[in-house]
Every structure is written in C-alpha cells, then in structure tokens.
Amino acid sequence: MAILPILTVPNPLLAQKSRPVRDDEFGPALEARMSDMAETMYAAPGVGLAGVQVGDLRRILVADLSDEDENGEKRRGEHLVMMCNPEIVDRSRSKITWEEGCLSVPELWEDVTRPDRVLVRFRTPDGATQEQ
C-alpha cells in the first residue's frame, strides 16, 4: 500500500467531473487503488476521500463510518467502506449540523447541515452491488 499525494485547491483537477467506473475496471487493481486511498485518508488524517482528491477522475470514494469510543476517539477502520459509483437512493427528513473540513481545502472548517441518514447504493471494488 502507498500514501498518495492529496490535491489541494486551486488544482484544476478538483473542478473536473468524475466519470463512472466501467465494468472492465472492477477487480484487484481497483481494490488496490482504493486501499491506497484508505491508507492516505487515515494518514492525513481524515474520514473520507474521493478519487478526484488523489487525481483519479473515477467516481470512487473511501469513508470510515466508525463510531467514536467512550473517550471520543474514532474507532479507526472499524467500518471502512469503499464505494464505486455511489448514488443516494433515500435520505431522512431530519437534519444534523456539524463542523466539517476537507482534505483538499485544509484551512477551511464550516458548519454543514445534512440529512441525519442516507441510503446509498454503490458497487464494491470487486463489482458487487450494496446498499448502506
């Protein structure tokens, strides 16, 4: 595994629209790329990283959805998800607001309001379809 360079603003790649992962791209090479992304995310440290942030213009992302322990520390790696071609298929009406940052805009932290829960349909690096 490798730690990848994270692009930061104003890198023009960050403004590009990512494309879907093609059927012929699923498999071990994609899984290795996304494992490198996860290692990069943890080293940054962060809780999510999209392909475009490491110069890969495919619709891929890694995120750690792990809860915090009783000391407020993230249980790193407990619930790592690797998503290809993610699509939100449902979202709650209830909202939550918390402070968020972005690894590609390291100096900026803002309160962001989002749905409390979302249901996402995606494919895993090996091509299996999942909803979470």
Side-chain angles (χ1 to χ4, degrees), residues 38-89:
E39 184 175 354
T40 301
M41 174 189 71
Y42 288 128
V47 296
L49 188 67
V52 68
Q53 292 178 274
V54 292
D56 192 321
L57 290 174
R58 293 179 287 185
R59 288 188 196 142
I60 56 177
L61 72 92
V62 295
D64 190 331
L65 308 178
S66 302
D67 291 325
E68 294 177 348
D69 64 18
E70 59 279 353
N71 298 319
E73 297 292 320
K74 190 86 162 167
R75 291 186 210 149
R76 188 173 132 173
E78 187 174 277
H79 195 74
L80 174 67
V81 292
M82 297 182 176
M83 298 184 192
C84 305
N85 303 335
E87 172 188 3
I88 296 173
V89 294

